[in-house]
Amino acid sequence: MTVEKSPEKVAQDLVTLTIDGIEVSVPAGTLVIRAAEQVGVQIPRFCDHPLLAPVGACRQCLVDVPDAGNGRGFPKPQASCTIPVAEGMVVETANATAEKAQRGIMEFLLVNHPLDCPVCDKGGECPLQNQAMSNGPAESRFSVSGGIKRTYPKPINISANVLLDRERCVLCARCTRFSEQIAGDPFIALIERGALQQVGIYEKEPFSSYFSGNTVQICPVGALTSAQYRFRARPFDLVSTPGVAEHDACGAAIRVDHRRGKVMRRLAGEDPDVNEEWITDKDRFAFRYVHAADRITYPQIREDGALRPASWLEAFAVAARGLAAAGPVGVLPGGRLTLEDAAAYAGFARETLRTQDIDFRARPLSAEETGFLREHVAGRFDVTYADLEAARTVVLAGLEPEDEAGTIFLRLRKAALKGTRVVSIAPFTSRGLAKLRGQLVRTAPGEEAAAIASLLGHGDYGLGADAVILVGERLATSPGALTAAAELAAKTGARLAWVPRRAGDRGALEAGCLPGEDGRDADAIVAGVLAGALGGLVVGGVDPLDTADPAAFLAALDAASFVVSLEIRESEVTRRADVVLPVAPVTDKAGTFVNWEGRRRPFEAVFSTPGIMSDARVLKGIADELAAQGRRQEVAPANQSSAESALVPRATSAPDGQAHPRPAPQPGDDRRSAGSFTLATWKLLIDNGRLQDGDKAYAATARPAVALLSAATLERLGTTVTVTGDRGSVTLPAVAAADLADDVVWLPSNSFGRGVLAEVASPNSRVEVSGA
């Protein structure tokens, strides 16, 4: 229950002080530098950041305090970023004392700072440049070693993606504080003392963090730069467009900086309600796919077994005739959709094709999940980021936030540091859960329903109206788990939210891209094509390797009488399609993502690329052509070469090694078998996903693909193991996970070869593990 404060109590919480002659009232505990901002007084600073704990490292924000509120002043200037306000305090930020102190600090910082401005990536947007002009002396009185400044070899790699120019550093400690306080990755620190002090890394550990790019953005002097952007452009060369990250369902705000039709970099946008000022490295660096060499830029139709270029009108006509002649058609939109595109797919399926066979889920799924999404997710907006911060307890089920929803992870870590309890139903304590100071309910895959039910009435977890339950999409393949989560929420009063991995999944759900009551889900659509019950397929952004059975999906593409693909880049789907229609990536269209909260996240187009349309516009072109041809089942007149080509049987074999996974090898007699294991798996944040192609430095920061085993099993089998399932096998280095059960093995889903689902095992199956 919320207790309303009386006006008298509210007044008691306010402190009144005077800054540069302006009286201001602010909440007790406010820092002087924040109070100054409220009255429009700008105090120079480098180390201060509103989302980081104050440290007073740079001393640039010195101010004069002639009255500390007790009738006495401080004898020397004080750092305004560390001094809280006091009743009656008097602060002078621009008198002779304050200006002298600020000029002196600036002069000191510039003693050894290099004159890199013409080549520094920060040039043009550098706080040091700006404040040296506004608060620094015109000339330096210092001469160091005859005019030679201190230098270091430059740059040094603190990770594959982040470079450090040590002589530029002003020791503000923003990067080290972010890594320790926000991301929980204290892999960098200030080392040495005095003039030798510098940013350093652990000797045996690189700066390994999914959020390392934020340190580059908040660095005030260009000491940290990204390998991707270094020396590529200057800020005044760039045009900036606000955007929304497309790699997960978090809806993080970003800023897209571009020049002459090419994205040069992406930065975190500021949105206090969603991502505050932070984004993952995936959202920051994984954008080069939009400029990939295999980007599809014109329509193609299949003629004599091969794809050839076509005009849009011809492609629409061929697609319409082919779909009309194919018989029943299944629609698989995929999960990269904007809300507008998802609505177009739903309308195209139900109104144009007159089918209920539509499903956006390009992954393992279940009928239980379909019912759960309809009843407990669609149209409900019960949980927000703010609720995560305010919750007493947050339960994670089938969700690893650091890998699958980075913005949620950062908000949960912020909450955990303030006292929120995080409980995870998972097979082991992941690196992310450890940083959340979370509590593990150790659960083997497939047993989540029982584990969730066990939380009911367990006083240690504090489940009630102030608790939140977050369920991930992986819970779909655990029988009864989603039902158990809904029951737990109903009985305890906790709020329930579903967190998918893809940016378009929630919008697709709200737009109606689930199968109708009599419709087929994605797995049933594939089975229907293979059984001959469906003749055509309309496929959006679906990667076959993400589906529950990649081999069956590819076989369905081969078996379908007609396939229309709407895609950004060449893929296994486009290689099998009869009509390939290029669609716009997020940079080339305006639209709206709906994040996991149900919050709408609109964005504008960055580029206007001729000849590239949104999925919605392409589907409308096909629908208009179908309408112009009359009724849906009407076959186009004979003797039209394009119509004939649309119905020419397609080649049913893909390139070698692509159509079907290799047969599962059996462990040899010389191997040390550990018997049958339960397979746990999820996708790491940085993996082999196709939207992450194109940046070697970013890819080099991916965590290595390893198999996780219990310490006892690792000791028995050795440090290299072979995992064999019903679809193949993989040999990987093995690492111990302290609290993993002896009969469970964990593999990253998409960090090697063609991934777990294509090369190792089907969902919920058991595997054999043997020493290599």
Side-chain angles (χ1 to χ4, degrees):
M1 181 177 67
T2 301
V3 178
E4 295 290 340
K5 292 184 178 180
S6 66
E8 293 78 9
K9 178 60 177 175
V10 172
Q12 291 174 6
D13 291 340
L14 293 179
V15 172
T16 301
L17 70 158
T18 302
I19 302 176
D20 290 350
I22 304 173
E23 190 174 276
V24 59
S25 296
V26 295
T30 301
L31 297 175
V32 169
I33 198 169
R34 299 283 170 266
E37 291 171 352
Q38 294 190 25
V39 294
V41 174
Q42 180 67 20
I43 302 174
R45 85 289 302 270
F46 295 111
C47 68
D48 175 69
H49 192 285
L51 297 179
L52 300 177
V55 67
C58 72
R59 317 306 291 177
Q60 186 60 58
C61 67
L62 293 177
V63 295
D64 184 26
V65 185
D67 188 344
N70 56 3
R72 294 177 296 174
F74 286 97
K76 294 183 179 181
Q78 298 297 304
S80 60
C81 71
T82 61
I83 299 295
V85 297
E87 183 66 33
M89 177 181 280
V90 176
V91 178
E92 297 291 341
T93 72
N95 65 6
T97 301
E99 287 187 349
K100 180 180 178 181
Q102 292 166 10
R103 283 198 306 270
I105 292 296
M106 179 62 69
E107 190 174 38
F108 177 72
L109 292 177
L110 294 176
V111 169
N112 279 307
H113 195 83
L115 298 177
D116 283 353
C117 298
V119 296
C120 177
D121 286 345
K122 203 72 172 182
E125 57 183 7
C126 177
L128 183 61
Q129 280 184 329
N130 298 337
Q131 292 172 176
M133 293 293 292
S134 63
N135 299 91
E139 296 180 359
S140 173
R141 297 174 296 159
F142 288 85
S143 176
V144 180
S145 302
I148 300 175
K149 292 177 178 282
R150 179 189 61 190
T151 60
Y152 291 104
K154 58 185 295 181
I156 61 172
N157 289 71
I158 63 174
S159 76
N161 213 23
V162 179
L163 309 179
L164 170 64
D165 291 83
R166 287 173 288 177
E167 68 273 28
R168 297 178 186 170
C169 181
V170 295
L171 302 177
C172 71
R174 276 189 175 188
C175 58
T176 57
R177 285 183 291 149
F178 169 83
S179 300
E180 182 176 359
Q181 297 170 17
I182 306 299
D185 296 317
F187 291 99
I188 58 176
L190 292 176
I191 60 175
E192 304 292 351
R193 288 289 185 269
L196 298 179
Q197 192 170 36
Q198 58 188 276
V199 173
I201 59 175
Y202 295 157
E203 292 182 1
K204 298 181 180 180
E205 292 279 355
F207 178 35
S208 177
S209 174
Y210 284 156
F211 310 96
S212 65
N214 292 290
T215 65
V216 176
Q217 184 169 343
I218 65 175
C219 177
V221 295
L224 295 176
T225 56
S226 79
Q228 181 190 72
Y229 179 71
R230 189 176 174 91
F231 302 141
R232 297 294 196 278
R234 306 306 301 272
F236 37 77
D237 296 333
L238 303 175
V239 177
S240 298
T241 304
V244 178
E246 75 275 31
H247 291 296
D248 58 27
C250 294
I254 60 173
R255 192 184 93 190
V256 182
D257 288 352
H258 51 100
R259 181 181 66 184
R260 294 194 291 273
K262 185 174 183 180
V263 176
M264 303 305 296
R265 67 176 179 181
R266 300 208 305 198
L267 302 176
E270 184 176 348
D271 190 331
D273 293 332
V274 180
N275 60 299
E276 298 184 313
E277 297 181 28
W278 320 122
I279 57 175
T280 66
D281 284 357
K282 190 175 186 178
D283 291 339
R284 185 180 301 273
F285 298 119
F287 60 80
R288 295 189 179 273
Y289 71 93
V290 301
H291 305 302
D294 60 357
R295 171 89 178 264
I296 303 170
T297 57
Y298 53 83
Q300 302 171 58
I301 62 174
R302 190 169 297 277
E303 189 173 84
D304 298 328
L307 291 172
R308 68 162 177 84
S311 69
W312 279 105
L313 291 178
E314 183 183 17
F316 287 154
V318 173
R321 283 192 290 269
L323 291 174
V329 176
V331 181
L332 300 170
R336 61 163 164 74
L337 306 176
T338 63
L339 178 63
E340 296 80 1
D341 289 339
Y345 274 101
F348 183 76
R350 293 186 167 89
E351 298 170 14
T352 302
L353 299 179
R354 297 290 191 267
T355 180
Q356 297 294 324
D357 298 338
I358 177 174
D359 197 345
F360 67 90
R361 295 169 294 177
R363 55 172 172 78
L365 51 91
S366 65
E368 179 189 7
E369 183 194 30
T370 304
F372 173 84
L373 294 179
R374 287 198 184 109
E375 184 175 352
H376 298 287
V377 181
R380 301 187 62 171
F381 314 102
D382 298 332
V383 184
T384 66
Y385 283 104
D387 294 331
L388 297 183
E389 276 196 60
R392 179 185 176 192
T393 301
V394 176
V395 177
L396 307 175
L399 176 66
E400 177 53 45
E402 189 182 35
D403 283 311
E404 298 175 301
T407 303
I408 290 180
F409 169 79
L410 293 182
R411 194 60 70 97
L412 283 178
R413 176 167 165 78
K414 181 179 179 181
L417 295 178
K418 295 179 180 179
T420 296
R421 178 188 290 107
V422 177
V423 178
S424 179
I425 297 172
F428 63 96
T429 299
S430 65
R431 176 172 160 177
L433 183 60
K435 288 188 285 188
L436 295 176
R437 303 176 181 178
Q439 183 174 351
L440 175 71
V441 179
R442 192 173 77 172
T443 308
E447 299 176 3
E448 286 85 356
I452 293 171
S454 72
L455 301 183
L456 185 62
H458 203 301
D460 291 344
Y461 299 128
L463 293 183
D466 55 356
V468 172
I469 303 171
L470 298 181
V471 297
E473 64 180 34
R474 289 186 282 114
L475 219 58
T477 59
S478 180
L482 289 171
T483 301
E487 291 176 352
L488 180 64
K491 292 177 180 178
T492 62
R495 282 167 291 179
L496 178 67
W498 176 65
V499 183
R501 286 191 64 256
R502 294 165 179 81
D505 277 3
R506 181 61 189 269
L509 174 63
E510 299 296 337
C513 289
L514 273 183
E517 293 298 332
D518 298 324
R520 297 175 173 88
D521 62 25
D523 289 347
I525 288 173
V526 169
V529 173
L530 293 175
L534 294 176
L537 286 174
V538 176
V539 185
V542 176
D543 186 343
L545 299 183
D546 289 338
T547 61
D549 189 343
F553 188 88
L554 294 175
L557 293 175
D558 291 333
S561 62
F562 197 81
V563 177
V564 177
S565 173
L566 287 73
E567 202 32 292
I568 298 172
R569 299 168 57 195
E570 293 179 9
S571 69
E572 291 301 314
V573 178
T574 65
R575 295 186 189 104
R576 291 165 168 80
D578 297 282
V579 177
V580 177
L581 300 167
V583 292
V586 291
T587 54
D588 291 27
K589 64 183 176 183
T592 305
F593 284 131
V594 181
N595 75 352
W596 68 274
E597 305 168 281
R599 186 192 303 262
R600 296 195 176 199
R601 307 291 285 157
F603 59 91
E604 296 299 320
V606 177
F607 307 123
S608 179
T609 305
I612 299 297
M613 307 180 191
S614 67
D615 294 60
R617 178 63 186 87
V618 170
L619 292 171
K620 185 177 187 303
I622 301 174
D624 289 346
E625 185 63 31
L626 277 166
Q629 292 178 14
R631 54 191 179 85
R632 177 179 173 274
Q633 294 294 337
E634 182 180 358
V635 180
N639 301 321
Q640 293 187 8
S641 60
S642 59
E644 292 171 356
S645 67
L647 301 178
V648 170
R650 293 170 288 111
T652 57
S653 62
D656 290 343
Q658 296 297 316
H660 303 283
R662 53 196 171 91
Q666 299 299 318
D669 294 336
D670 59 332
R671 296 184 179 181
R672 295 159 288 166
S673 177
S676 182
F677 282 67
T678 300
L679 175 63
T681 182
W682 62 74
K683 291 185 177 182
L684 299 179
L685 182 82
I686 304 174
D687 62 8
N688 296 337
R690 297 198 72 215
L691 295 189
Q692 303 177 65
D693 291 348
D695 190 320
K696 293 181 180 179
Y698 164 76
T701 64
R703 294 175 184 172
V706 297
L708 296 184
L709 299 164
S710 69
T713 305
L714 181 69
E715 182 178 1
R716 184 166 68 253
L717 297 179
T719 57
T720 304
V721 297
T722 297
V723 181
T724 303
D726 57 351
R727 294 177 180 173
S729 67
V730 64
T731 300
L732 292 172
V735 176
D739 44 15
L740 191 65
D742 289 340
D743 62 345
V744 176
V745 58
W746 179 88
L747 297 177
S749 295
N750 193 31
S751 297
F752 59 85
R754 299 174 65 235
V756 167
L757 291 174
E759 292 191 342
V760 182
S762 53
N764 292 331
S765 63
R766 295 185 68 83
V767 296
E768 298 292 325
V769 181
S770 56

